[in-house]
Amino acid sequence: MTNHEQLALVAECRGSGMTAKEWCKARGVNYRHYIYWASKVNKSQRDAQQQWASVELPKEGSATSEVRLTCGRWTICVGAGFSPALLADVLKVVDAVC
């Protein structure tokens, strides 16, 4: 089965108003196969939504040592002495929300 066919079946199931198990049973589709296809569809949609953030570094000779990470409506400012662990946690939350 092609990726296009799998995508069409996942879309049909999601639009049916039934649970995936109900839809698979009604259509004679192996539920495990459907879960695999739906996972691929979800991953491709996440990958398609991924975008790069702009990064502003301080200009040479600037009084500030701040780095700004901007992605859509989010801006994260990182100054001297920042906690790498805290930044990693913040980026994980932003990634989950965006």
Side-chain angles (χ1 to χ4, degrees):
M1 183 173 297
T2 68
N3 284 339
H4 182 70
E5 292 169 325
Q6 293 171 5
L7 175 63
L9 288 173
V10 169
E12 179 183 326
C13 175
R14 290 179 177 175
S16 72
M18 295 190 275
T19 67
K21 281 189 177 185
E22 292 170 341
W23 182 87
C24 287
K25 186 175 180 180
R27 289 287 310 251
V29 173
N30 181 303
Y31 179 69
R32 287 187 177 184
H33 290 165
Y34 172 82
I35 294 300
Y36 174 73
W37 303 336
S39 296
K40 282 182 14 180
V41 168
N42 292 343
K43 182 182 180 327
S44 69
Q45 288 175 344
R46 276 193 312 268
D47 291 347
Q49 292 174 354
Q50 186 174 13
Q51 57 182 312
W52 289 94
S54 66
V55 177
E56 296 174 30
L57 299 174
K59 294 186 180 2
E60 197 171 319
S62 172
T64 183
S65 59
E66 183 179 80
V67 175
R68 291 179 174 267
L69 305 166
T70 304
C71 183
R73 62 187 177 137
W74 298 92
T75 299
I76 300 170
C77 301
V78 180
F82 75 96
S83 164
L86 176 59
L87 178 60
D89 289 343
V90 169
L91 291 174
K92 285 177 190 173
V93 170
V94 170
D95 184 49
V97 172
C98 291

